[in-house]
Amino acid sequence: MPARAIINLQALRYNYRRAAELSPMARVMPVIKARAYGHGMTEVAYALDQAEQFAVATLDEALLLRANGLSKKILVLQGVNSKEQLLRAVQEEISLVVHQQHQVALLESVELPGRVNIWIKLDTGMHRLGFKVSDFDAIYQRCNKTSNKLNLHVLSHFANADDPDDPLTNQQLDRFLQATRDCKVEKSIANSAAICGPLDCQLDWVRPGIMLYGVHPMMAGTASELSLKPVMTLYSHLIAIHHRKRGDRIGYGGDWTCTEDMPVGIISIGYGDGYPRHAPSGTPVLIKGKRVSLVGRVSMDMICVDLRSCPDAKVGDEATLWGEGLPVEDIARAASTIAYELLCRLTGRVKFIYT
Ligand SMILES: *Cc1c(COP(=O)(O)O)cnc(C)c1O
């Protein structure tokens, strides 16, 4: 039996309601890029039936949602880079971010078959995508003057909203509001961390991603403080138990040595499924409600666990790698990464089950 990711769509809808409650003045645009952070883009889009609009990273992701019958608004956060892509997006009524001159030039040079929603992206301090705030008026005027019918909006993105002590977040908000002060279009800047943070930056639309999947967006913290519910629980099971002797070395490289005679369990999951290869000995795994520790290196298909704290474990028992009862944040911290990466990296070998 392969590893299974159980996706709890009720928990997803609960987290969506939390985002909406925290942003009573705004509309909620769920971010479902990267297969909805690994949860399944189409399933998540259909489960969030209250949302009017979704955000994805690329045109291909938006086209996949259209191919699966989704007729709601979809915003492509990276926008498009060719005439063909632009025409395709407009035909499919897909909204686009415009973040560089080349994309404005495309809007000026192509005769579009219909109206299109355009979101002008400003760089307020993230220094990744977007126009300088000082260029906003000029870009806005240029977009307004094209012969195409563009519904203009404006957005920006926070770099460090997960750190409530970083003054950059407030500065970014100030720059954004200042630059767009005289412009009566819909505005958006808040990601999950900003929605959960101390600043009032709801504006017209908020764009939660990670919090919808039940992960606490702030640097230190777990979802329960915010009462978010984990959406994905990753399970596999014990396929063998061995009684090892003191001094036995476990797995590739023999990195971990038994300090006494002890039971070691083998669980059918590895980096071939998306379990992080860099998870060190000591990373927790849940068996029969008890935390046991990973020992030795993560292999492609298997991990080994110290069963001293769970002596009644049997072959066939279920093991939780993360999710309900074992926050994915804990595994991310142990493996020196972030929950975003763990969630979106499960491979096709894992069976997804929606409840
Ligand atoms: C990914 C993304 C989001 C969502 O961020 P979270 O931290 O997951 O809430 C919002 N806006 C933009 C532009 C993004 O790229």
Side-chain angles (χ1 to χ4, degrees):
M1 200 175 37
R4 290 163 298 136
I6 309 292
I7 306 298
N8 181 344
L9 296 174
Q10 234 170 322
L12 175 79
R13 284 190 283 262
Y14 175 86
N15 297 333
Y16 174 90
R17 284 197 300 277
R18 289 294 294 138
E21 283 163 14
L22 289 166
S23 322
M25 311 302 288
R27 284 183 278 174
V28 180
M29 186 191 313
V31 180
I32 58 171
K33 62 197 180 189
R35 294 181 295 118
Y37 294 45
H39 294 69
M41 190 167 59
T42 302
E43 290 84 352
V44 164
Y46 279 105
L48 293 177
D49 49 6
Q50 294 192 36
E52 298 162 50
Q53 168 157 236
F54 295 101
V56 295
T58 65
L59 179 61
D60 280 354
E61 289 177 332
L63 291 172
L64 188 64
L65 287 171
R66 284 284 182 263
N68 287 324
L70 191 88
S71 57
K72 291 184 180 177
K73 282 186 180 173
I74 309 171
L75 174 60
V76 175
L77 294 168
Q78 294 178 0
V80 294
N81 277 313
S82 72
K83 183 177 163 179
E84 293 68 35
Q85 289 174 342
L86 175 57
L87 287 170
R88 190 76 207 282
V90 177
Q91 273 161 12
E92 297 283 348
E93 297 183 30
I94 290 167
S95 311
L96 298 171
V97 164
V98 164
H99 57 79
Q100 60 184 333
Q101 295 290 346
H102 170 65
Q103 294 171 323
V104 181
L106 268 179
L107 289 173
E108 289 169 332
S109 64
V110 179
E111 197 179 322
L112 297 178
R115 215 167 235 293
V116 56
N117 289 310
I118 294 293
W119 288 75
I120 298 173
K121 181 159 193 179
L122 296 184
D123 176 10
T124 52
M126 170 98 178
H127 299 149
R128 190 176 60 181
L129 289 186
F131 297 102
K132 285 196 247 163
V133 286
S134 55
D135 290 344
F136 174 65
D137 287 336
I139 297 295
Y140 182 81
Q141 294 312 332
R142 259 178 81 187
C143 288
N144 246 343
K145 270 199 264 157
T146 71
S147 54
N148 289 310
K149 295 193 184 68
L150 311 181
N151 295 331
L152 297 177
H153 313 66
V154 58
L155 85 166
S156 188
H157 191 50
F158 288 126
N160 300 346
D162 60 333
D163 178 359
D165 297 326
D166 193 322
L168 179 64
T169 308
N170 208 351
Q171 286 163 11
Q172 285 194 260
L173 179 61
D174 276 352
R175 288 173 195 150
F176 185 69
L177 293 176
Q178 187 69 21
T180 61
R181 195 184 38 198
D182 300 324
C183 192
K184 298 276 170 286
V185 299
E186 288 180 4
K187 297 169 193 178
S188 171
I189 193 166
N191 56 0
S192 298
I195 292 167
C196 300
L199 223 59
D200 181 7
C201 52
Q202 302 172 43
L203 305 179
D204 299 296
W205 291 88
V206 293
R207 307 188 308 268
I210 197 73
M211 71 179 293
L212 297 176
Y213 310 104
V215 174
H216 195 298
M218 301 312 247
M219 248 160 36
T222 53
S224 57
E225 296 163 28
L226 249 182
S227 74
L228 298 172
K229 295 184 177 166
V231 177
M232 178 196 291
T233 303
L234 179 62
Y235 294 106
S236 191
H237 53 278
L238 277 167
I239 58 168
I241 296 176
H242 297 289
H243 293 273
R244 298 298 180 199
K245 295 278 178 236
R246 181 180 163 184
D248 283 351
R249 295 166 62 196
I250 306 294
Y252 286 119
D255 284 5
W256 197 85
T257 304
C258 297
T259 53
E260 60 180 323
D261 294 3
M262 58 180 280
V264 172
I266 316 300
I267 297 170
S268 174
I269 194 147
Y271 63 82
D273 303 284
Y275 191 85
R277 202 186 79 89
H278 291 101
S281 293
T283 301
V285 173
L286 205 63
I287 295 177
K288 288 184 177 311
K290 293 205 186 75
R291 282 191 177 210
V292 301
S293 288
L294 180 82
V295 291
R297 285 189 203 164
V298 172
S299 315
M300 187 183 290
D301 317 308
M302 285 172 266
I303 59 173
C304 305
V305 290
D306 172 352
L307 288 178
R308 281 177 295 181
S309 59
C310 192
D312 54 345
K314 308 180 305 297
V315 168
D317 281 353
E318 199 166 73
T320 303
L321 288 315
W322 63 63
E324 260 170 59
L326 184 61
V328 66
E329 291 95 318
D330 290 3
I331 310 306
R333 206 170 302 121
S336 310
T337 182
I338 53 175
Y340 294 75
E341 187 186 27
L342 296 184
L343 293 174
C344 77
R345 275 183 55 165
L346 291 187
T347 68
R349 198 158 71 166
V350 176
K351 186 170 160 52
F352 277 68
I353 297 164
Y354 293 87
T355 64

mmCIF file of all heavy atoms in Angstrom, residues 89 114 122 173 211 239 255 262 298 305 320 341 349:
data_model
loop_
_atom_site.group_PDB
_atom_site.id
_atom_site.type_symbol
_atom_site.label_atom_id
_atom_site.label_comp_id
_atom_site.label_asym_id
_atom_site.label_seq_id
_atom_site.Cartn_x
_atom_site.Cartn_y
_atom_site.Cartn_z
ATOM 1 N N ALA A 89 -4.999 33.934 -22.796
ATOM 2 C CA ALA A 89 -5.525 34.334 -21.488
ATOM 3 C C ALA A 89 -6.832 35.109 -21.659
ATOM 4 O O ALA A 89 -7.814 34.856 -20.940
ATOM 5 C CB ALA A 89 -4.502 35.175 -20.740
ATOM 6 N N GLY A 114 -11.381 41.003 -26.256
ATOM 7 C CA GLY A 114 -12.357 41.322 -25.199
ATOM 8 C C GLY A 114 -11.696 42.075 -24.072
ATOM 9 O O GLY A 114 -10.525 42.421 -24.118
ATOM 10 N N LEU A 122 3.301 46.512 -8.050
ATOM 11 C CA LEU A 122 4.317 47.456 -7.594
ATOM 12 C C LEU A 122 5.299 46.746 -6.670
ATOM 13 O O LEU A 122 4.901 45.926 -5.827
ATOM 14 C CB LEU A 122 3.653 48.603 -6.826
ATOM 15 C CG LEU A 122 2.709 49.474 -7.652
ATOM 16 C CD1 LEU A 122 2.202 50.626 -6.786
ATOM 17 C CD2 LEU A 122 3.399 50.015 -8.896
ATOM 18 N N LEU A 173 3.609 48.904 3.168
ATOM 19 C CA LEU A 173 2.206 49.318 3.112
ATOM 20 C C LEU A 173 2.109 50.817 2.849
ATOM 21 O O LEU A 173 1.317 51.267 2.001
ATOM 22 C CB LEU A 173 1.498 48.948 4.422
ATOM 23 C CG LEU A 173 0.028 49.348 4.504
ATOM 24 C CD1 LEU A 173 -0.794 48.654 3.415
ATOM 25 C CD2 LEU A 173 -0.545 49.041 5.885
ATOM 26 N N MET A 211 -2.049 29.795 5.007
ATOM 27 C CA MET A 211 -2.955 29.621 6.146
ATOM 28 C C MET A 211 -4.178 28.776 5.778
ATOM 29 O O MET A 211 -4.752 28.102 6.624
ATOM 30 C CB MET A 211 -3.385 30.979 6.737
ATOM 31 C CG MET A 211 -4.324 31.781 5.873
ATOM 32 S SD MET A 211 -4.812 33.370 6.649
ATOM 33 C CE MET A 211 -5.800 32.809 8.044
ATOM 34 N N ILE A 239 6.463 -1.471 7.936
ATOM 35 C CA ILE A 239 6.539 -2.693 7.119
ATOM 36 C C ILE A 239 7.495 -3.732 7.733
ATOM 37 O O ILE A 239 7.546 -4.860 7.259
ATOM 38 C CB ILE A 239 6.939 -2.384 5.663
ATOM 39 C CG1 ILE A 239 8.283 -1.648 5.599
ATOM 40 C CG2 ILE A 239 5.844 -1.591 4.949
ATOM 41 C CD1 ILE A 239 8.860 -1.577 4.193
ATOM 42 N N ASP A 255 24.993 6.077 9.807
ATOM 43 C CA ASP A 255 25.136 7.330 10.558
ATOM 44 C C ASP A 255 24.658 7.249 11.999
ATOM 45 O O ASP A 255 25.072 8.041 12.830
ATOM 46 C CB ASP A 255 24.304 8.442 9.885
ATOM 47 C CG ASP A 255 24.981 8.966 8.645
ATOM 48 O OD1 ASP A 255 26.034 8.405 8.262
ATOM 49 O OD2 ASP A 255 24.465 9.938 8.054
ATOM 50 N N MET A 262 17.570 -2.717 21.117
ATOM 51 C CA MET A 262 16.353 -1.908 20.963
ATOM 52 C C MET A 262 15.581 -2.275 19.694
ATOM 53 O O MET A 262 16.151 -2.772 18.707
ATOM 54 C CB MET A 262 16.732 -0.417 20.890
ATOM 55 C CG MET A 262 17.702 -0.099 19.752
ATOM 56 S SD MET A 262 18.137 1.649 19.691
ATOM 57 C CE MET A 262 16.688 2.270 18.851
ATOM 58 N N VAL A 298 17.385 9.164 5.697
ATOM 59 C CA VAL A 298 16.164 8.914 4.925
ATOM 60 C C VAL A 298 16.571 8.282 3.595
ATOM 61 O O VAL A 298 17.422 8.811 2.882
ATOM 62 C CB VAL A 298 15.416 10.241 4.678
ATOM 63 C CG1 VAL A 298 14.241 10.046 3.721
ATOM 64 C CG2 VAL A 298 14.954 10.864 5.998
ATOM 65 N N VAL A 305 12.806 4.080 12.369
ATOM 66 C CA VAL A 305 12.442 4.816 13.583
ATOM 67 C C VAL A 305 12.799 4.000 14.822
ATOM 68 O O VAL A 305 12.761 2.766 14.809
ATOM 69 C CB VAL A 305 10.931 5.180 13.621
ATOM 70 C CG1 VAL A 305 10.608 6.243 12.591
ATOM 71 C CG2 VAL A 305 10.047 3.951 13.429
ATOM 72 N N THR A 320 2.046 8.408 11.166
ATOM 73 C CA THR A 320 1.755 9.753 10.651
ATOM 74 C C THR A 320 3.082 10.486 10.489
ATOM 75 O O THR A 320 3.863 10.585 11.440
ATOM 76 C CB THR A 320 0.876 10.535 11.651
ATOM 77 O OG1 THR A 320 -0.315 9.783 11.886
ATOM 78 C CG2 THR A 320 0.512 11.915 11.115
ATOM 79 N N GLU A 341 7.449 24.148 1.603
ATOM 80 C CA GLU A 341 8.210 23.248 0.727
ATOM 81 C C GLU A 341 7.789 21.794 0.935
ATOM 82 O O GLU A 341 7.597 21.051 -0.029
ATOM 83 C CB GLU A 341 9.717 23.401 0.977
ATOM 84 C CG GLU A 341 10.517 22.592 -0.034
ATOM 85 C CD GLU A 341 12.011 22.577 0.225
ATOM 86 O OE1 GLU A 341 12.439 22.734 1.374
ATOM 87 O OE2 GLU A 341 12.758 22.372 -0.751
ATOM 88 N N ARG A 349 3.860 9.379 -6.364
ATOM 89 C CA ARG A 349 3.748 8.057 -5.748
ATOM 90 C C ARG A 349 2.759 8.060 -4.569
ATOM 91 O O ARG A 349 2.257 7.010 -4.180
ATOM 92 C CB ARG A 349 5.122 7.596 -5.275
ATOM 93 C CG ARG A 349 5.181 6.128 -5.035
ATOM 94 C CD ARG A 349 6.580 5.603 -5.084
ATOM 95 N NE ARG A 349 7.353 6.035 -3.939
ATOM 96 C CZ ARG A 349 8.530 5.500 -3.606
ATOM 97 N NH1 ARG A 349 9.044 4.536 -4.346
ATOM 98 N NH2 ARG A 349 9.186 5.946 -2.574
#
